[in-house]
């Protein structure tokens, strides 16, 4: 009998992350839930336990706006799980106004990109032969990203633009991880327009909850499940996927040079306080 796989999911206390955790647990996988809110995480653990027919999921509370939390999470995972088969970098947020984290970075880029970049690099050896799935979005035509400068100026801050930049960074991270770590399948996930609470602190909460064209978290989670479970030969390492074939991205933004430069910028950003 094949032993259960170990699946780590960030942002697992609600939305796509929780729906995916339930689906993985129902398959018999060993699921580790990561969330930043203690109460919501506890509720999620109960739901995933039920989906897994009583199997106790792992869980860890971490706020990706604190890199110390990310390092503590990595230490916990490394000391607890001898192999990690799938790391789903799924946590995401939209900051309604400009603010800097305790680490000195703009909050959206840290929570959505830098925290996951750090976690992935810390778990790199444990992920050999496994997969990284990065929840992103289909890049818009007007997305802007300077790979050498991630922290936005507060005077020019717009929450949606910052969110789009962070999601573009997720796509570029998958591209460069595929080049640097060929023994790990690194993929980007376009989850679709999903009914979630990601914009709960902004006016977007009404769009993400009530717009008629949204798909359910459960349906979107099946996209994540496919990237994590289908034969590796079905995918192009480093590509962005929705429900089907790889999504074409603008080569003026999503190219090897930008991906490599973003990696170097991110590596410096998580090494110590921003300057």
């Amino acid at each position: 009998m094949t032993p259960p796989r170990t699946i780590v999911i960030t942002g697992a206390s609600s939305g796509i992350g929780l729906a995916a955790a339930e689906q993985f647990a129902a398959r018999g996988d060993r699921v580790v839930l990561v969330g930043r809110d203690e109460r919501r995480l506890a509720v999620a653990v109960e739901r995933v336990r039920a989906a897994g027919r009583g199997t106790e999921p792992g869980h860890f509370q971490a706020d990706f706006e604190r890199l110390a939390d990310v390092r503590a999470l990595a230490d916990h995972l490394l000391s607890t799980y001898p192999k990690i088969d799938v790391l789903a970098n799924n946590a995401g947020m939209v900051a309604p106004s400009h603010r800097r984290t305790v680490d000195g970075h703009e909050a959206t880029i840290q929570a959505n990109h830098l925290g996951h970049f750090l976690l992935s690099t810390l778990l790199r050896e444990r992920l050999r032969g496994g997969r990284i799935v990065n929840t992103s979005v289909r890049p818009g035509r007007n997305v802007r990203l300077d790979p050498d400068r991630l922290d936005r100026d507060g005077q020019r801050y717009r929450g949606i633009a910052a969110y789009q930049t962070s999601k573009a960074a997720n796509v570029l991270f998958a591209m460069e991880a595929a080049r640097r770590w060929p023994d790990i399948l690194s993929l980007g996930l376009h989850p679709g327009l999903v009914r979630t609470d990601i914009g709960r602190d902004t006016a977007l909460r009404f769009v993400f909850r009530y717009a008629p064209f949204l798909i359910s978290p459960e349906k979107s989670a099946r996209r994540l499940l496919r990237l994590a479970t289908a034969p590796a030969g079905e995918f192009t390492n480093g590509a962005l996927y929705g429900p089907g074939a790889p999504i074409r991205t603008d080569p003026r933004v999503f190219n090897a040079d930008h991906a490599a430069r973003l990696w170097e910028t991110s590596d410096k950003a998580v090494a110590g306080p921003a300057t």
Side-chain angles (χ1 to χ4, degrees), residues 46-103:
E46 291 182 5
R47 285 181 52 174
V48 175
R49 183 189 300 120
R53 295 174 290 279
T55 300
E56 188 68 24
H59 64 279
F60 195 90
Q61 184 180 356
D63 183 347
F64 277 44
E65 290 188 41
R66 300 180 62 89
L67 294 181
D69 279 19
V70 178
R71 292 187 174 92
L73 168 62
D75 287 344
H76 168 74
L77 294 172
L78 291 171
S79 65
T80 307
Y81 303 99
K83 179 174 176 56
I84 297 173
D85 297 278
V86 178
L87 171 61
N89 288 327
N90 171 74
M93 54 83 83
V94 181
S97 60
H98 185 274
R99 69 171 186 270
R100 291 198 176 273
T101 68
V102 294
D103 303 289

Side-chain angles (χ1 to χ4, degrees), residues 170-180 186 237-239 249 254-256 259:
N170 295 155
V171 176
L172 286 167
F173 167 69
M175 291 172 58
E176 184 65 5
R179 185 185 73 82
R180 291 177 180 247
S186 300
N237 202 359
T249 54
F254 301 96
N255 57 62

